[in-house]
Amino acid sequence: MKVEMRGRQCGLVLGRFQPFHLGHLEYVEAARSRCQRLFVGITNPDPESRVATSADPARSTAENNPFTFAQRRAMIEASLWDLGWTDRDFAIVPAPILQVDRLLHYLPPPSETTAFLTVYDEWGEQKVQLMRSLGYAVDVMWRRDHASRVASGTQIRTMLADGTDWHPLVPDAVARQLADRDHLAS
C-alpha cells in the first residue's frame, strides 16, 4: 500500500551497497511502499567521490568500496526485478553524498521528493541533517543500533574474503552475481 507523502511522488534512499544485502532490501522495500517512484542513490559511486568524514572514516577507503557503480547497480536492479519491480518503480542514480555541488545534479528535486533514511550511527544522523539542509523532506524510517542490523556490508565482505558462507545475507540475484564474479576470478 502506497502512503501519500505531502504530495511528493518521488522517494529517495541512499547507500553504498557494498554489496547490496538483505538489510538494504528491507530498506528499499519500506521506502518504495511510501512513494510512487523510488530513486536509489548509490553513494561513493566512483573513487573520486569517496570523501572521508569524521562520522565514519572507514566508509571512504578503497578496501571498503570494492564494487564499482556498475556492479552495484546490477546487483540492485536484478534484486528488484526478482521482486517484480519494473523500471517505472525505481531508478538508480549516482549520489556523491559528500560532494554537495555534484549531488544535486543526480537526484530528483527536493520539491517533489522525500528522502527516506535509516539511522544506525553518527553518519546516519549526519545524512539526515545534510538532506534537510538541501531542502528534502526527510522520513527517518527507523533508528537502530548496529547489533540490530539484518546484515552489514563489512560482515559480507569479510565473509567473502575468508570463505565463510555469506549467501543467506544477500538476495538471490546478488548471490548469483557474486558467485559469477568469484568464478571469473578463479
Side-chain angles (χ1 to χ4, degrees), residues 33-144:
S33 72
R34 294 169 165 88
C35 63
Q36 292 179 19
R37 187 157 199 240
L38 183 65
F39 285 78
V40 179
I42 296 178
T43 64
N44 291 1
D46 57 74
E48 290 75 34
S49 69
R50 293 191 314 242
V51 177
T53 175
S54 61
D56 188 357
R59 72 180 306 96
S60 65
T61 64
E63 61 270 10
N64 288 325
N65 292 277
F67 301 103
T68 67
F69 175 83
Q71 289 169 321
R72 292 178 282 164
R73 180 183 176 138
M75 288 179 207
I76 296 165
E77 282 177 340
S79 297
L80 299 182
W81 289 336
D82 276 1
L83 293 176
W85 292 28
T86 70
D87 291 342
R88 288 181 168 191
D89 297 319
F90 71 100
I92 300 172
V93 297
I97 192 159
L98 291 175
Q99 295 178 336
V100 178
D101 56 322
R102 293 178 58 207
L103 180 62
L104 289 175
H105 293 283
Y106 296 107
L107 303 183
S111 62
E112 57 191 55
T113 306
T114 298
F116 296 104
L117 302 175
T118 57
V119 175
Y120 294 92
D121 53 23
E122 182 184 343
W123 168 241
E125 296 293 351
Q126 187 175 336
K127 281 192 296 189
V128 168
Q129 295 309 313
L130 173 65
M131 298 312 290
R132 283 186 177 140
S133 75
L134 295 174
Y136 286 90
V138 173
D139 179 349
V140 177
M141 295 189 300
W142 58 77
R143 283 185 164 81
R144 297 177 180 163

